[in-house]
Amino acid sequence: MDVVFHNLNSASGLKKLDEYLLPRSYITGYQASKDDIAVHAEFSAPPSTDYVNVSRWYNHIEALLRMRGVSGEGQGVKVEGSTTISEEAPASPTIAETKAPVEEDDDDDVDLFGEEIEEEKKAAEEHAIAVKASGKKKESGKSSVLLDIKPWDNETNMQKLEEVVRSVKMEGLLWGASKLIPVGYGIKKLQIMLTIVDDLVFVDNLIEDHLTAEPANEYIQSCDIVAVNKICKFIHSNKLSYWSHNFQIIPLFISH
């Protein structure tokens, strides 16, 4: 059954979407898909940063469209009653507004979009290309993350464990300093710093899809996020400086 959203250009619609995205990285599933493209196409402008989860998701999808596009099939999504807010001349109708009405009795039909999703994806990709061609580049924020990575037992080769961790490479991820900390019974954990580009790397996905998945889980029993620090920058006396502001400490435990 499709996921349904209502009027994403209204405060109530954005609030519902923000609550929906609180525990999720994408509209459906664990990777960007046509469902994300369909919802992204409903926005005529970036959402307000007051809606933290919507803004995070929107910036991430925007970055993916600029870099390589989105190819996941998705599970089906429907946006109803979406209108563009404007106090001046009315804007031309969006793709979503020109859709033929869908019978509500067909809730079990999981393929309600078909060609419409393809058209929305094409429109979103054309928009991303136009933004890139205009030379307007949005600067992504960065965060510093501290992870505790635990082995299975005291016989785990910690050098191999760290090599496996650092072998994980992706755009927007930079591994930093590390150290081994005793936890008892001859067992040590690896504590390691990393810097991420917020629009490109989600820490929960990094842990679930890479650090606690095969083949890394041969050495890694679990991962804890100890702290997340937002890296900010400011200009002082004609010099660009960076500082780290601790905005969030997340108790997260994931084991496989």
Side-chain angles (χ1 to χ4, degrees), residues 33 57 116 131 135 166 204:
S33 70
W57 165 84
E116 286 88 345
V131 171
R166 292 184 181 276
D204 53 350

Side-chain angles (χ1 to χ4, degrees), residues 103-168:
E103 291 292 335
E104 292 184 359
D105 294 336
D106 296 332
D107 287 341
D108 294 333
D109 186 356
V110 297
D111 188 20
L112 297 177
F113 280 86
E115 295 181 358
E116 286 88 345
I117 290 182
E118 291 298 330
E119 293 174 359
E120 290 171 354
K121 180 179 178 182
K122 182 179 179 180
E125 289 175 346
E126 289 175 351
H127 171 69
I129 292 172
V131 171
K132 186 175 181 180
S134 69
K136 297 178 180 178
K137 296 182 179 179
K138 294 193 296 183
E139 186 173 353
S140 298
K142 293 183 179 180
S143 298
S144 175
V145 183
L146 181 64
L147 292 181
D148 274 353
I149 302 177
K150 299 183 179 71
W152 287 101
D153 51 39
N154 60 353
E155 295 182 357
T156 301
N157 187 324
M158 297 302 293
Q159 182 178 350
K160 283 286 188 181
L161 183 147
E162 182 169 356
E163 289 176 359
V164 168
V165 170
R166 292 184 181 276
S167 70
V168 177

Side-chain angles (χ1 to χ4, degrees), residues 174-227:
L174 178 65
W175 296 104
S178 65
K179 62 180 178 179
L180 296 178
I181 300 177
V183 295
Y185 303 101
I187 300 175
K188 295 181 179 181
K189 66 181 179 181
L190 174 69
Q191 192 168 85
I192 188 167
M193 293 289 300
L194 57 144
T195 301
I196 61 171
V197 176
D198 297 334
D199 291 346
L200 302 180
V201 180
F202 289 101
V203 181
D204 53 350
N205 288 355
L206 171 66
I207 292 174
E208 293 178 3
D209 298 341
H210 298 279
L211 297 180
T212 56
E214 294 182 352
N217 61 4
E218 179 181 350
Y219 302 95
I220 298 172
Q221 187 266 337
S222 64
C223 292
D224 289 310
I225 299 177
V226 180

Side-chain angles (χ1 to χ4, degrees), residues 48-110:
S48 169
T49 54
D50 293 339
Y51 303 97
V52 177
N53 302 304
V54 177
S55 181
R56 162 183 57 79
W57 165 84
Y58 181 91
N59 291 336
H60 181 56
I61 299 303
E62 190 84 359
L64 290 178
L65 289 174
R66 287 200 190 100
M67 292 186 302
R68 61 177 182 271
V70 174
S71 58
E73 288 299 320
Q75 301 170 15
V77 67
K78 180 162 54 176
V79 182
E80 298 178 344
S82 182
T83 58
T84 301
I85 299 176
S86 175
E87 297 182 358
E88 300 179 359
S92 58
T94 64
I95 293 174
E97 293 170 340
T98 58
K99 293 178 188 174
V102 178
E103 291 292 335
E104 292 184 359
D105 294 336
D106 296 332
D107 287 341
D108 294 333
D109 186 356
V110 297

Side-chain angles (χ1 to χ4, degrees), residues 3-5 15-32 35-36 52-58 60-61 75 77 202-205 208:
V3 178
V4 180
F5 300 105
K15 183 179 179 182
K16 289 290 186 183
L17 179 59
D18 195 67
E19 293 172 352
Y20 177 83
L21 288 170
L22 177 61
R24 299 175 174 87
S25 297
Y26 303 104
I27 298 299
T28 58
Y30 298 98
Q31 64 176 343
D35 295 341
D36 296 279
V52 177
N53 302 304
V54 177
S55 181
R56 162 183 57 79
W57 165 84
Y58 181 91
H60 181 56
I61 299 303
Q75 301 170 15
V77 67
F202 289 101
V203 181
D204 53 350
N205 288 355
E208 293 178 3

